[in-house]
Amino acid sequence: MSKALITDKEYRRFEDIIFELWFYIEHKESFSSKFTAKEIKHINKVFERMNAEHHREYKIIVRHHLKRIYYTTMAREQGVSEGYIRKLAKNGAYYFLQLYDEK
């Protein structure tokens, strides 16, 4: 299996953005987010583009990071190894950051 495209430092940055987004979605009424309306709009556009260009990675990121579904569950559903799902998730993080940084 080939190596993931993203470094550990970049992946940590991705996780910080996604965690902030998840927390905003879960607690938007009682939480003041660091995200502005413009930033949320940008993230939505990033997800739309990612869904069109890297659909499988997009689905894994959304299901794992925003809907809190384990990699093992997704691997069983798709009949692949958990390591493969983790690699797709890391590659998805790489694609997300590429699109996110384009602004």
Side-chain angles (χ1 to χ4, degrees):
M1 187 181 315
S2 62
K3 191 173 180 169
L5 301 171
I6 194 167
T7 65
D8 289 338
K9 186 176 180 181
E10 289 172 321
Y11 192 72
R12 180 66 190 162
R13 182 173 151 246
F14 163 78
E15 285 181 325
D16 290 344
I17 293 167
I18 292 296
F19 177 77
E20 184 74 24
L21 179 63
W22 171 80
F23 201 83
Y24 171 78
I25 291 167
E26 292 293 316
H27 307 286
K28 59 182 153 190
E29 291 84 27
S30 62
F31 173 68
S32 73
S33 173
K34 72 175 187 176
F35 291 133
T36 63
K38 185 178 179 182
E39 184 75 14
I40 294 294
K41 193 180 223 182
H42 175 65
I43 290 173
N44 284 335
K45 286 182 181 178
V46 167
F47 275 129
E48 286 173 12
R49 258 186 83 190
M50 195 172 163
N51 187 19
E53 296 172 14
H54 306 283
H55 182 71
R56 193 165 188 193
E57 289 88 347
Y58 162 80
K59 285 187 75 167
I60 290 169
I61 284 175
V62 169
R63 289 186 74 201
H64 179 70
H65 290 286
L66 300 179
K67 296 183 180 178
R68 301 298 188 197
I69 298 172
Y70 293 111
Y71 290 135
T72 49
T73 303
M74 287 184 259
R76 271 191 229 122
E77 289 172 355
Q78 297 180 22
V80 297
S81 72
E82 183 180 342
Y84 181 68
I85 296 295
R86 286 182 184 278
K87 180 187 165 206
L88 286 175
K90 282 197 165 192
N91 286 345
Y94 174 79
Y95 300 136
F96 175 88
L97 287 177
Q98 274 188 328
L99 297 171
Y100 181 80
D101 291 339
E102 282 181 4
K103 286 190 182 187

